[in-house]
Amino acid sequence: MFAQQEHLTLRTNAQDSLEGTVERIVFRNEENGFTVARFLPQGKKQLVTLVGRFPQLHCGESLQVDGKWQHNSQYGWQLVVENYQLVVPATKKGIIRYLSSGLIHGVGPVTAKRLVEAFGEDTLNVIQEDPRRLLEVAGIGKATAKRIQQGLSAHREIEQIMVALQGWGLSPTLAVKIYKAYGQDAIRIVKDEPYRLADEVWGIGFLTADRIAEQVGISGNNKGRLAAGLKYFLSEEAQEGHVYQPLGDFLPKVADALAVAEEDLIAVLNQLVGENQIFLDRLPQDQAVYLAPYYHAERGVARSLAALGKCPLGYKEPDLADKVAQAQETVGIQLAPGQKEAVERAISSGVLVITGGPGTGKTTVVKAIIELLSSLGLKVSLAAPTGRAAKRLREATGRTAKTIHRLLEFSYKEGEGFAFARNKERPLSTDVLIIDEASMVDLLLMYSLLKAVPPSSRLILVGDIDQLPSVGAGNVLRDLIASGTVPVVELTEIFRQAQESMIVTNAHRINQGLLPTLEPEGSRRDFFFIQQEEPEKIASTIVALVSQRLPRYLGTTSTEEIQVLTPMRKSPIGVSSLNFLLQEALNPNSPNKPQLTMGHTTFRLGDKVMQIRNNYQKFVWNGDIGHIRQLDEEERQLTVEFQEDEGARLVTYESADLDELVLAYATSVHKSQGSEFPAVVMPVSTQHYIMLQRNLLYTAITRAKQLVVLVGTKKAIAIAVRNIKPVKRYSLLAERLQAEAKAELELAP
């Protein structure tokens, strides 16, 4: 701060203008740009405090700032910045600090000092105007020289563009994303085509684009706005699992939300139909309105499954009894009648569904099928929707198992986007494809998968239809079973070893509408209930369980084996609150532990985190869980280690990418699908009344391998068990499958 005698001349709200250098960042919120910085004015020896919103700010930057002085009773005098502009550093010391502040990746104090020693006060001009001269400096090659020049140029462009974008109400984080997406075209696109942002920039939805459009003067009934609005609300419904919307319900809701007449929407809807961006199909008393990808996917899945089901298998069926006996001998187990039926159907069916709850021997059946079909000389491939599910399948069968994305050889090319290399033109090289955890496969992924399955192959889908449906749109496995067009084998017998587990027993009790047994029985001590009424008590009990009691019970010092699952995101016992409490208990702040703050979330080295969207550039998927292994506060980036089907992989996140991560000490039950954890802890409270459903409780319990602890009230458990009302998902897949089967019958001689 200024010396005390200098303070006496200041007045609250007195206007001032200063030029100087940023010496230290005291606090920064990357989400809204609010920053507290220590600043050294030219010709002064004492630092002052700047407070304001800056799109980006680095130590060593020279600024011209205009603002008003305010006195804070706790922090003293502060200059509240109203406007600022960058000033090119003029001194050697200033240039060294500027270049080594972290604004150019890979340039630290040593490189910055070498550059200034070589070019003096002309260093920045050399970098910008004649970067080839950088090769004169020891240790700098062509690649480094190019990176330094591009880094400096990009920094200056970003500053100019982000100042303009913030003028339209965009946070610095979103402004960086827009710049990364459009570069120098960012301002033009935001001003002239703001609704493109909703489709092309993660983190900017229609509502944000709509606010920008209003600020740049685009009218409420603008056709571009109405088209973007229709597609936005359809995509929002897809996020809720719906493949289409009934037009009679959908149109009034959109008209009301956009505050426009239905007639205006109908005109734009017809235009989008003409452009094949939206499709309409008949319903008994209405019309179904689809976004194009879902329309093509639903029809394509129905056609592909029908074609696989009727395709000749290309060989004579062997003596089933002998072959099944041989498979049983190889696997080393006597198959139950239901299991034997599944194995036999695998030989004769082009498409087969095998479903059953925990402990019914689905894995044993899969192993027997693999042995049987392999003995016939058929190539069998295994896959699952998530890396964790694929890893579990590989461990259970001893065979290679991949995620569906890896099986289809996903790739991302700059300028072309994401695509699967395996498709109709380049199908998979397999005779039999077995998909585990098939209830998790949504409509779009199933469509991509079926396009890559050779016509002469067979498809075996294994899953539990009583689990929650897929996170993505559609209800593929349930629709396929409901259609009655493919063979389905339901495994119901619970085997003796599984009966020894209260987890398995209670899962089946819940599924049958019975209350779970909440008291341990004899040696069966893998299912516990702790009565707590108040949400705050439930939360504190869960923290104590995860951090202290359960590690002792499991005989481990690690908490990694314990996963908290909760029905909702928001509430005192929701995902967000529990993650905050668990982070403080399991990975608290300490002076030697680096951390980054993004909005309301602080990420620390060692934290357990989850990816919450598919990122095709990074090859990480919605629901992937990993751990922060590296964190650089200066560079504002962190590296997460994910365990995948092919081993561990490190993924780096820049500051602007952090909205794709959340803490994962606690996660929603929906996000746990396809996972298996040694121990699961779950709050069950009437506070989550809207989410208390039988399939949600069933799904959570079946995620646990060794131990389940429910914390809450028996009343909440009873509500969940009784609530079997399914969440309606608009889908016509079952009807389309039936239509395909009917057409085949009509064509038969």
Short mmCIF file of all heavy atoms in Angstrom, two decimals, residues 614-652:
data_model
loop_
_atom_site.label_atom_id
_atom_site.label_comp_id
_atom_site.label_asym_id
_atom_site.label_seq_id
_atom_site.Cartn_x
_atom_site.Cartn_y
_atom_site.Cartn_z
N ASN A 614 -19.14 -35.75 -22.94
CA ASN A 614 -18.24 -36.43 -23.88
C ASN A 614 -17.31 -35.40 -24.51
O ASN A 614 -17.79 -34.41 -25.09
CB ASN A 614 -19.04 -37.13 -24.97
CG ASN A 614 -19.78 -38.35 -24.46
OD1 ASN A 614 -19.44 -38.90 -23.42
ND2 ASN A 614 -20.79 -38.78 -25.19
N ASN A 615 -16.03 -35.60 -24.38
CA ASN A 615 -15.04 -34.71 -25.01
C ASN A 615 -14.24 -35.55 -26.00
O ASN A 615 -13.39 -36.35 -25.61
CB ASN A 615 -14.12 -34.09 -23.96
CG ASN A 615 -13.21 -33.03 -24.55
OD1 ASN A 615 -12.62 -33.22 -25.62
ND2 ASN A 615 -13.08 -31.91 -23.87
N TYR A 616 -14.55 -35.36 -27.28
CA TYR A 616 -13.97 -36.22 -28.31
C TYR A 616 -12.52 -35.85 -28.62
O TYR A 616 -11.76 -36.67 -29.13
CB TYR A 616 -14.83 -36.16 -29.57
CG TYR A 616 -16.24 -36.61 -29.32
CD1 TYR A 616 -17.31 -35.72 -29.36
CD2 TYR A 616 -16.52 -37.93 -29.01
CE1 TYR A 616 -18.60 -36.13 -29.10
CE2 TYR A 616 -17.80 -38.36 -28.76
CZ TYR A 616 -18.85 -37.46 -28.81
OH TYR A 616 -20.12 -37.87 -28.56
N GLN A 617 -12.14 -34.59 -28.33
CA GLN A 617 -10.73 -34.23 -28.52
C GLN A 617 -9.85 -34.89 -27.48
O GLN A 617 -8.75 -35.35 -27.78
CB GLN A 617 -10.56 -32.69 -28.45
CG GLN A 617 -11.15 -31.96 -29.63
CD GLN A 617 -12.55 -31.44 -29.33
OE1 GLN A 617 -13.31 -32.08 -28.62
NE2 GLN A 617 -12.88 -30.28 -29.88
N LYS A 618 -10.34 -34.94 -26.24
CA LYS A 618 -9.55 -35.54 -25.16
C LYS A 618 -9.80 -37.04 -25.02
O LYS A 618 -9.10 -37.73 -24.28
CB LYS A 618 -9.89 -34.85 -23.83
CG LYS A 618 -9.54 -33.38 -23.76
CD LYS A 618 -9.87 -32.81 -22.39
CE LYS A 618 -9.66 -31.30 -22.32
NZ LYS A 618 -8.27 -30.91 -22.53
N PHE A 619 -10.83 -37.55 -25.70
CA PHE A 619 -11.19 -38.97 -25.61
C PHE A 619 -11.55 -39.36 -24.18
O PHE A 619 -11.13 -40.40 -23.67
CB PHE A 619 -10.08 -39.87 -26.14
CG PHE A 619 -9.73 -39.60 -27.59
CD1 PHE A 619 -8.42 -39.73 -28.03
CD2 PHE A 619 -10.69 -39.21 -28.50
CE1 PHE A 619 -8.09 -39.48 -29.36
CE2 PHE A 619 -10.38 -38.96 -29.82
CZ PHE A 619 -9.07 -39.10 -30.26
N VAL A 620 -12.34 -38.53 -23.52
CA VAL A 620 -12.90 -38.87 -22.21
C VAL A 620 -14.41 -38.70 -22.30
O VAL A 620 -14.91 -37.85 -23.04
CB VAL A 620 -12.31 -38.01 -21.07
CG1 VAL A 620 -10.91 -38.43 -20.75
CG2 VAL A 620 -12.37 -36.53 -21.40
N TRP A 621 -15.13 -39.51 -21.48
CA TRP A 621 -16.56 -39.62 -21.67
C TRP A 621 -17.33 -39.27 -20.41
O TRP A 621 -16.84 -39.42 -19.28
CB TRP A 621 -16.91 -41.04 -22.14
CG TRP A 621 -15.97 -41.53 -23.18
CD1 TRP A 621 -15.08 -42.55 -23.06
CD2 TRP A 621 -15.77 -40.98 -24.50
NE1 TRP A 621 -14.36 -42.69 -24.21
CE2 TRP A 621 -14.76 -41.74 -25.11
CE3 TRP A 621 -16.36 -39.94 -25.21
CZ2 TRP A 621 -14.31 -41.49 -26.40
CZ3 TRP A 621 -15.92 -39.69 -26.50
CH2 TRP A 621 -14.92 -40.45 -27.08
N ASN A 622 -18.55 -38.82 -20.63
CA ASN A 622 -19.47 -38.48 -19.56
C ASN A 622 -19.54 -39.64 -18.55
O ASN A 622 -19.89 -40.75 -18.90
CB ASN A 622 -20.85 -38.22 -20.18
CG ASN A 622 -21.83 -37.67 -19.18
OD1 ASN A 622 -21.53 -37.52 -18.00
ND2 ASN A 622 -23.03 -37.37 -19.63
N GLY A 623 -19.19 -39.35 -17.29
CA GLY A 623 -19.22 -40.37 -16.25
C GLY A 623 -17.89 -40.98 -15.90
O GLY A 623 -17.77 -41.71 -14.91
N ASP A 624 -16.83 -40.70 -16.69
CA ASP A 624 -15.50 -41.23 -16.38
C ASP A 624 -14.98 -40.63 -15.07
O ASP A 624 -15.02 -39.41 -14.88
CB ASP A 624 -14.51 -40.93 -17.50
CG ASP A 624 -14.69 -41.83 -18.71
OD1 ASP A 624 -15.49 -42.78 -18.62
OD2 ASP A 624 -14.03 -41.60 -19.74
N ILE A 625 -14.46 -41.47 -14.17
CA ILE A 625 -13.93 -41.02 -12.88
C ILE A 625 -12.41 -41.17 -12.88
O ILE A 625 -11.87 -42.17 -13.34
CB ILE A 625 -14.54 -41.82 -11.72
CG1 ILE A 625 -16.03 -41.48 -11.57
CG2 ILE A 625 -13.81 -41.54 -10.41
CD1 ILE A 625 -16.73 -42.28 -10.49
N GLY A 626 -11.73 -40.14 -12.39
CA GLY A 626 -10.27 -40.18 -12.30
C GLY A 626 -9.78 -39.42 -11.09
O GLY A 626 -10.57 -38.99 -10.24
N HIS A 627 -8.47 -39.22 -11.02
CA HIS A 627 -7.84 -38.51 -9.90
C HIS A 627 -6.87 -37.46 -10.43
O HIS A 627 -6.17 -37.70 -11.41
CB HIS A 627 -7.10 -39.48 -8.98
CG HIS A 627 -8.01 -40.41 -8.24
ND1 HIS A 627 -8.51 -41.56 -8.82
CD2 HIS A 627 -8.53 -40.35 -6.99
CE1 HIS A 627 -9.29 -42.17 -7.95
NE2 HIS A 627 -9.31 -41.46 -6.83
N ILE A 628 -6.84 -36.32 -9.78
CA ILE A 628 -5.93 -35.25 -10.17
C ILE A 628 -4.51 -35.63 -9.72
O ILE A 628 -4.25 -35.75 -8.52
CB ILE A 628 -6.35 -33.91 -9.55
CG1 ILE A 628 -7.73 -33.51 -10.06
CG2 ILE A 628 -5.32 -32.82 -9.88
CD1 ILE A 628 -8.30 -32.26 -9.41
N ARG A 629 -3.62 -35.83 -10.69
CA ARG A 629 -2.25 -36.26 -10.39
C ARG A 629 -1.25 -35.12 -10.48
O ARG A 629 -0.17 -35.19 -9.89
CB ARG A 629 -1.84 -37.39 -11.34
CG ARG A 629 -2.67 -38.66 -11.23
CD ARG A 629 -2.74 -39.18 -9.82
NE ARG A 629 -3.42 -40.47 -9.73
CZ ARG A 629 -3.93 -40.95 -8.62
NH1 ARG A 629 -3.86 -40.24 -7.48
NH2 ARG A 629 -4.54 -42.12 -8.61
N GLN A 630 -1.57 -34.09 -11.26
CA GLN A 630 -0.70 -32.92 -11.37
C GLN A 630 -1.58 -31.68 -11.36
O GLN A 630 -2.68 -31.69 -11.90
CB GLN A 630 0.12 -32.96 -12.66
CG GLN A 630 1.03 -34.16 -12.81
CD GLN A 630 1.63 -34.28 -14.19
OE1 GLN A 630 1.71 -33.30 -14.93
NE2 GLN A 630 2.02 -35.48 -14.57
N LEU A 631 -1.09 -30.60 -10.74
CA LEU A 631 -1.84 -29.34 -10.71
C LEU A 631 -0.85 -28.19 -10.68
O LEU A 631 -0.02 -28.11 -9.78
CB LEU A 631 -2.79 -29.30 -9.51
CG LEU A 631 -3.87 -28.22 -9.54
CD1 LEU A 631 -5.10 -28.67 -8.75
CD2 LEU A 631 -3.37 -26.90 -8.98
N ASP A 632 -0.93 -27.32 -11.67
CA ASP A 632 -0.02 -26.19 -11.80
C ASP A 632 -0.82 -24.90 -11.61
O ASP A 632 -1.62 -24.51 -12.46
CB ASP A 632 0.63 -26.20 -13.20
CG ASP A 632 1.78 -25.21 -13.30
OD1 ASP A 632 1.67 -24.10 -12.74
OD2 ASP A 632 2.79 -25.53 -13.96
N GLU A 633 -0.61 -24.27 -10.46
CA GLU A 633 -1.35 -23.03 -10.17
C GLU A 633 -0.95 -21.89 -11.09
O GLU A 633 -1.79 -21.06 -11.47
CB GLU A 633 -1.13 -22.64 -8.70
CG GLU A 633 -1.76 -23.59 -7.71
CD GLU A 633 -1.44 -23.25 -6.27
OE1 GLU A 633 -0.23 -23.07 -5.96
OE2 GLU A 633 -2.37 -23.15 -5.46
N GLU A 634 0.33 -21.82 -11.46
CA GLU A 634 0.79 -20.74 -12.34
C GLU A 634 0.19 -20.89 -13.73
O GLU A 634 -0.32 -19.93 -14.31
CB GLU A 634 2.32 -20.75 -12.42
CG GLU A 634 3.02 -20.28 -11.17
CD GLU A 634 2.80 -18.80 -10.92
OE1 GLU A 634 2.75 -18.03 -11.90
OE2 GLU A 634 2.64 -18.41 -9.75
N GLU A 635 0.25 -22.09 -14.29
CA GLU A 635 -0.28 -22.33 -15.64
C GLU A 635 -1.80 -22.48 -15.63
O GLU A 635 -2.43 -22.49 -16.68
CB GLU A 635 0.35 -23.60 -16.23
CG GLU A 635 1.83 -23.51 -16.48
CD GLU A 635 2.15 -22.73 -17.73
OE1 GLU A 635 1.22 -22.41 -18.49
OE2 GLU A 635 3.34 -22.40 -17.93
N ARG A 636 -2.37 -22.63 -14.44
CA ARG A 636 -3.82 -22.85 -14.26
C ARG A 636 -4.28 -24.04 -15.09
O ARG A 636 -5.19 -23.95 -15.91
CB ARG A 636 -4.62 -21.59 -14.60
CG ARG A 636 -4.39 -20.44 -13.63
CD ARG A 636 -5.49 -19.41 -13.69
NE ARG A 636 -6.78 -19.96 -13.34
CZ ARG A 636 -7.20 -20.18 -12.09
NH1 ARG A 636 -6.41 -19.91 -11.06
NH2 ARG A 636 -8.40 -20.68 -11.86
N GLN A 637 -3.62 -25.15 -14.88
CA GLN A 637 -4.02 -26.38 -15.55
C GLN A 637 -3.77 -27.56 -14.61
O GLN A 637 -2.99 -27.48 -13.66
CB GLN A 637 -3.25 -26.58 -16.86
CG GLN A 637 -1.78 -26.86 -16.71
CD GLN A 637 -1.09 -27.07 -18.06
OE1 GLN A 637 -1.53 -26.56 -19.08
NE2 GLN A 637 -0.01 -27.83 -18.04
N LEU A 638 -4.50 -28.63 -14.86
CA LEU A 638 -4.33 -29.83 -14.05
C LEU A 638 -4.40 -31.05 -14.95
O LEU A 638 -4.88 -31.00 -16.08
CB LEU A 638 -5.39 -29.89 -12.94
CG LEU A 638 -6.87 -29.80 -13.32
CD1 LEU A 638 -7.41 -31.14 -13.78
CD2 LEU A 638 -7.68 -29.28 -12.14
N THR A 639 -3.87 -32.16 -14.44
CA THR A 639 -3.84 -33.41 -15.19
C THR A 639 -4.55 -34.48 -14.38
O THR A 639 -4.27 -34.67 -13.20
CB THR A 639 -2.39 -33.84 -15.48
OG1 THR A 639 -1.75 -32.80 -16.25
CG2 THR A 639 -2.37 -35.13 -16.27
N VAL A 640 -5.48 -35.18 -15.05
CA VAL A 640 -6.28 -36.22 -14.40
C VAL A 640 -5.87 -37.58 -14.96
O VAL A 640 -5.69 -37.75 -16.17
CB VAL A 640 -7.78 -35.99 -14.64
CG1 VAL A 640 -8.61 -37.10 -13.99
CG2 VAL A 640 -8.20 -34.62 -14.10
N GLU A 641 -5.72 -38.54 -14.06
CA GLU A 641 -5.45 -39.92 -14.46
C GLU A 641 -6.77 -40.70 -14.47
O GLU A 641 -7.45 -40.80 -13.45
CB GLU A 641 -4.47 -40.58 -13.50
CG GLU A 641 -4.14 -42.03 -13.87
CD GLU A 641 -3.25 -42.70 -12.86
OE1 GLU A 641 -3.64 -42.79 -11.67
OE2 GLU A 641 -2.14 -43.11 -13.23
N PHE A 642 -7.12 -41.23 -15.64
CA PHE A 642 -8.31 -42.06 -15.79
C PHE A 642 -7.89 -43.51 -15.99
O PHE A 642 -6.95 -43.79 -16.75
CB PHE A 642 -9.14 -41.61 -17.00
CG PHE A 642 -9.81 -40.27 -16.83
CD1 PHE A 642 -9.27 -39.14 -17.43
CD2 PHE A 642 -10.97 -40.15 -16.09
CE1 PHE A 642 -9.88 -37.90 -17.30
CE2 PHE A 642 -11.59 -38.91 -15.94
CZ PHE A 642 -11.04 -37.79 -16.54
N GLN A 643 -8.59 -44.42 -15.33
CA GLN A 643 -8.39 -45.85 -15.55
C GLN A 643 -9.33 -46.30 -16.65
O GLN A 643 -10.55 -46.17 -16.51
CB GLN A 643 -8.65 -46.65 -14.27
CG GLN A 643 -7.65 -46.38 -13.17
CD GLN A 643 -6.25 -46.87 -13.52
OE1 GLN A 643 -6.08 -47.84 -14.25
NE2 GLN A 643 -5.24 -46.18 -13.00
N GLU A 644 -8.78 -46.80 -17.75
CA GLU A 644 -9.59 -47.18 -18.90
C GLU A 644 -9.45 -48.66 -19.17
O GLU A 644 -8.70 -49.37 -18.50
CB GLU A 644 -9.18 -46.36 -20.12
CG GLU A 644 -9.37 -44.87 -19.93
CD GLU A 644 -8.98 -44.07 -21.15
OE1 GLU A 644 -8.27 -44.61 -22.02
OE2 GLU A 644 -9.40 -42.91 -21.25
N ASP A 645 -10.17 -49.13 -20.21
CA ASP A 645 -10.13 -50.54 -20.54
C ASP A 645 -8.73 -50.99 -20.96
O ASP A 645 -8.39 -52.16 -20.85
CB ASP A 645 -11.14 -50.87 -21.64
CG ASP A 645 -11.00 -49.97 -22.85
OD1 ASP A 645 -10.78 -48.77 -22.67
OD2 ASP A 645 -11.13 -50.48 -23.99
N GLU A 646 -7.91 -50.05 -21.41
CA GLU A 646 -6.55 -50.40 -21.84
C GLU A 646 -5.49 -49.88 -20.87
O GLU A 646 -4.33 -49.76 -21.22
CB GLU A 646 -6.30 -49.86 -23.25
CG GLU A 646 -7.21 -50.49 -24.30
CD GLU A 646 -6.90 -50.02 -25.71
OE1 GLU A 646 -6.02 -49.15 -25.85
OE2 GLU A 646 -7.53 -50.51 -26.65
N GLY A 647 -5.90 -49.54 -19.65
CA GLY A 647 -4.95 -49.06 -18.65
C GLY A 647 -5.14 -47.60 -18.32
O GLY A 647 -6.11 -46.96 -18.72
N ALA A 648 -4.19 -47.04 -17.56
CA ALA A 648 -4.28 -45.65 -17.10
C ALA A 648 -3.90 -44.69 -18.23
O ALA A 648 -3.04 -44.99 -19.05
CB ALA A 648 -3.38 -45.44 -15.90
N ARG A 649 -4.57 -43.52 -18.23
CA ARG A 649 -4.26 -42.50 -19.21
C ARG A 649 -4.36 -41.13 -18.56
O ARG A 649 -5.27 -40.86 -17.78
CB ARG A 649 -5.22 -42.57 -20.40
CG ARG A 649 -4.79 -41.69 -21.58
CD ARG A 649 -5.58 -42.08 -22.83
NE ARG A 649 -6.97 -41.70 -22.73
CZ ARG A 649 -7.45 -40.51 -23.12
NH1 ARG A 649 -6.63 -39.60 -23.61
NH2 ARG A 649 -8.72 -40.24 -23.02
N LEU A 650 -3.39 -40.25 -18.87
CA LEU A 650 -3.36 -38.90 -18.31
C LEU A 650 -3.99 -37.92 -19.29
O LEU A 650 -3.68 -37.93 -20.48
CB LEU A 650 -1.92 -38.48 -18.00
CG LEU A 650 -1.19 -39.30 -16.94
CD1 LEU A 650 0.26 -38.84 -16.81
CD2 LEU A 650 -1.89 -39.18 -15.58
N VAL A 651 -4.87 -37.05 -18.77
CA VAL A 651 -5.56 -36.06 -19.59
C VAL A 651 -5.38 -34.69 -18.94
O VAL A 651 -5.64 -34.52 -17.74
CB VAL A 651 -7.07 -36.38 -19.71
CG1 VAL A 651 -7.78 -35.31 -20.55
CG2 VAL A 651 -7.27 -37.76 -20.33
N THR A 652 -4.93 -33.71 -19.73
CA THR A 652 -4.67 -32.37 -19.21
C THR A 652 -5.85 -31.44 -19.48
O THR A 652 -6.43 -31.45 -20.57
CB THR A 652 -3.39 -31.80 -19.85
OG1 THR A 652 -2.28 -32.63 -19.49
CG2 THR A 652 -3.12 -30.38 -19.34
#
